[in-house]
Amino acid sequence: MLIANKLMPQGRGLAPVLLKRAATVELDWDVRQKSRFDATDSQGRQIGVFLPRGTAVRGSDVLVAEDGSLIRVIAAPQAVLRITHCGEHGTPFDLTRAAYHLGNRHVPIELTPGHLQIEPDHVLADMLRAMHLIVTEVQAPFEPEGGAYGGHVTNHNGHGHHHHHGHDHGH
C-alpha cells in the first residue's frame, strides 16, 4: 500500500505538466472530509491517506505519497440537494435567507452565486420548499464551505486562495 501523508491545496506550486501526468482519485465528500482513509487511484494502486486531524481534502487538491508520486483528487459526483430561488414567487435574496437558516443548523453547505447545495435531507428540503425555494436532487460534486477557520477556500474556478489580512481587532 502506498502511503500519502502530505496535501498540496489545489496543487499550488506544481507545474501544470506534473498535474496532467499525476494519477487521480475520485472521492465523494463523505470520504474527503476525513483525514484518514484508503482509496484506489487511477493506476490501480491502493493508497492509505494519513493527513493531520481535521484536514479536509478538496477537489483539485494533490496528495503526495511517500515515494514522491502525486495523486490529484477529483470531487466525485454524489447525491446533493440543489437549492435555487423561484423566479415566479421569489428573488435571489431568498438564497441568502436559506443560507442563513442552514448555517444556524450547522449544515455543510456549498455556496455559489446561482444556487446552494447540501447533502440530501428530507426535513431540510421541506423547510426550504416552505420558504418558496426550488429544491432538486442532482448528482454533482459537493464542495461545502470550510467555515471561518477551515483551511483553504475554493472559488469554484479551480483556484484556491489563502487570505491573511493584518486587521486591527483592538476595538
Side-chain angles (χ1 to χ4, degrees):
M1 176 179 283
L2 192 58
I3 302 299
N5 54 17
K6 183 174 180 188
L7 179 77
M8 297 182 76
Q10 307 296 296
R12 211 175 2 266
L14 293 173
V17 67
L18 291 176
L19 291 173
K20 188 180 269 191
R21 275 194 226 145
T24 59
V25 63
E26 194 166 340
L27 306 168
D28 66 18
W29 176 243
D30 188 50
V31 173
R32 290 183 293 116
Q33 66 182 322
K34 297 174 183 163
S35 51
R36 287 164 172 59
F37 57 87
D38 293 333
T40 304
D41 74 7
S42 59
Q43 297 174 1
R45 300 178 299 182
Q46 284 296 113
I47 301 166
V49 178
F50 297 92
L51 298 170
R53 296 231 179 261
T55 302
V57 180
R58 301 292 181 159
S60 298
D61 283 352
V62 175
L63 297 166
V64 182
E66 289 178 332
D67 70 355
S69 59
L70 304 173
I71 304 105
R72 190 169 39 87
V73 176
I74 297 169
Q78 64 184 76
V80 293
L81 297 180
R82 184 164 292 164
I83 304 139
T84 55
H85 82 279
C86 175
E88 255 181 75
H89 302 103
T91 70
F93 180 73
D94 294 337
L95 288 178
T96 304
R97 249 180 354 113
Y100 170 81
H101 287 286
L102 292 167
N104 274 344
R105 289 164 176 78
H106 302 283
V107 173
I109 181 172
E110 181 175 349
L111 306 168
T112 74
H115 65 268
L116 308 174
Q117 287 190 158
I118 62 172
E119 292 176 294
D121 181 308
H122 72 279
V123 172
L124 293 176
D126 290 345
M127 175 193 80
L128 294 163
R129 287 184 182 110
M131 295 168 65
H132 303 290
L133 291 156
I134 299 167
V135 180
T136 311
E137 186 164 326
V138 298
Q139 290 289 317
F142 183 53
E143 291 284 2
E145 287 295 307
Y149 308 102
H152 67 279
V153 176
T154 303
N155 71 5
H156 304 284
N157 292 325
H159 183 100
H161 291 283
H162 281 282
H163 290 284
H164 303 285
H165 300 285
H167 295 291
D168 179 11
H169 292 286
H171 356 10

